[in-house]
Amino acid sequence: MSSTSEKSSTSQSFLSAQTIVMAGIVWAVLSLLFFLLFSVPAKGEDLPFWYVIGTYVFELGAQLAAALLCLRNWRSPQIVSGRNVWLGIGLGVLSYLIGNLLFGCWEVVWGLDPDVSLGDVFYIAAYFLLAWGMILAVISRRLNLEIWQWAVLAAIAAGGIALAVWVATPANKLTPAAINPAATEQVATSVAPTAKAPKAPAIKPTAKPADKTPAITEDEAEEETAAPAWVQALDKQLEPFAYPVNLFYIIGDVFLLIIATALLLAFWGGRFSNSWRMIAAATFSLYIADMWFKYAETRIQGEYQSGSLLEVFFVFMGVLFGIGAVLEHDISTRTRRPGRKQRG
């Protein structure tokens, strides 16, 4: 019996709130160092394959731990903020994790870069689930903000909307030379004054000039991508949904940003303020990472490679969600723990 009690106490101390929080901080610091050291490739070279795999390991590890910790809160009847709150957040993080796994298959395994993939289905579901859980948390607090808090909420909402609109707008104000140098050169040549040259005798072409670039057949293209036929067919079917999906992400990021700010203000100074500060910070991290990803797609010239420095905020999102769940569980179990009865 004594050995069993010692094992249980050891496991409880190993999974204590302080230990999990410290593990999350260490994971975040290691991921930041990893991104800082290896996110900038040598000039003219792509990011190494092992680095891309490492970014997925850091992101998926943090999100998996966060999903398990949030679902642990859902299973605990002592959670003060409500079990359904953490069910929504836990399922949202888990859905985001599945979306990352599928996106990793498209990008790493098959070498594809589609506008819309099967992973976007789970990303969209994650937004709905996270919003559901966070709205339940706001409703439970019966939001009653002061004037300065409403002003802060309005300012953050306006700034978030402005940034999202600016990032999502393609950079179409470039010079014509940057957009199509060949066309600009052709127009400049035709407009510039030149001396008249004598006409050369017309030579009738005997045969059509051969194209110097060899044609690539469909079989060769499939072999280059190494993707199954059903994946390529699915990409073609999902391609028309690229614009509405990207628009949904912009609206969803701004909406979650507003809800996170409302949560931060609603729990300001209360017993559970620390846990919900972490949840708000996790949502801000998701917003920053998504805005950077959208900025890279619309405004960075050339083909963008995933794994840049600001994508470390995807790791921070998982770490902060997990820390928030741990702090909520710890204070709920401590405040609801029955005291010892004193005899006579």
Side-chain angles (χ1 to χ4, degrees), residues 125-153:
Y127 277 82
F128 282 109
L129 292 168
L130 288 173
W132 172 52
M134 295 168 68
I135 289 173
L136 288 178
V138 171
I139 293 175
S140 66
R141 291 291 296 181
R142 296 179 181 178
L143 192 61
N144 186 16
L145 302 181
E146 299 179 4
I147 296 177
W148 71 269
Q149 292 176 324
W150 282 113
V152 171
L153 182 61

Side-chain angles (χ1 to χ4, degrees), residues 51-239:
Y51 170 76
V52 177
I53 296 297
T55 60
Y56 276 100
V57 170
F58 278 108
E59 291 180 19
L60 296 176
Q63 292 163 8
L64 177 61
L68 294 177
L69 291 171
C70 292
L71 292 177
R72 183 185 70 165
N73 286 5
W74 164 63
R75 296 188 60 184
S76 175
Q78 297 176 322
I79 295 299
V80 177
S81 58
R83 297 174 59 186
N84 288 334
V85 171
W86 293 100
L87 176 62
I89 297 176
L91 291 179
V93 178
L94 184 62
S95 183
Y96 208 94
L97 167 68
I98 298 174
N100 275 343
L101 285 173
L102 292 173
F103 185 79
C105 291
W106 256 253
E107 181 185 32
V108 178
V109 178
W110 295 319
L112 298 175
D113 187 21
D115 295 330
V116 182
S117 68
L118 189 60
D120 289 281
V121 177
F122 292 91
Y123 287 144
I124 293 173
Y127 277 82
F128 282 109
L129 292 168
L130 288 173
W132 172 52
M134 295 168 68
I135 289 173
L136 288 178
V138 171
I139 293 175
S140 66
R141 291 291 296 181
R142 296 179 181 178
L143 192 61
N144 186 16
L145 302 181
E146 299 179 4
I147 296 177
W148 71 269
Q149 292 176 324
W150 282 113
V152 171
L153 182 61
I156 291 179
I161 293 172
L163 179 60
V165 171
W166 177 76
V167 167
T169 304
N172 53 2
K173 295 184 180 180
L174 298 174
T175 59
I179 298 173
N180 193 349
T184 306
E185 183 179 355
Q186 183 178 359
V187 173
T189 305
S190 62
V191 174
T194 56
K196 292 184 179 180
K199 291 184 179 180
I203 300 176
K204 187 176 181 180
T206 57
K208 187 178 180 180
D211 191 2
K212 294 182 180 181
T213 58
I216 300 177
T217 62
E218 295 182 0
D219 296 336
E220 292 176 349
E222 292 179 359
E223 186 177 355
E224 287 182 0
T225 59
W230 67 270
V231 172
Q232 300 182 31
L234 182 62
D235 287 346
K236 292 180 180 178
Q237 293 178 358
L238 295 177
E239 188 175 357

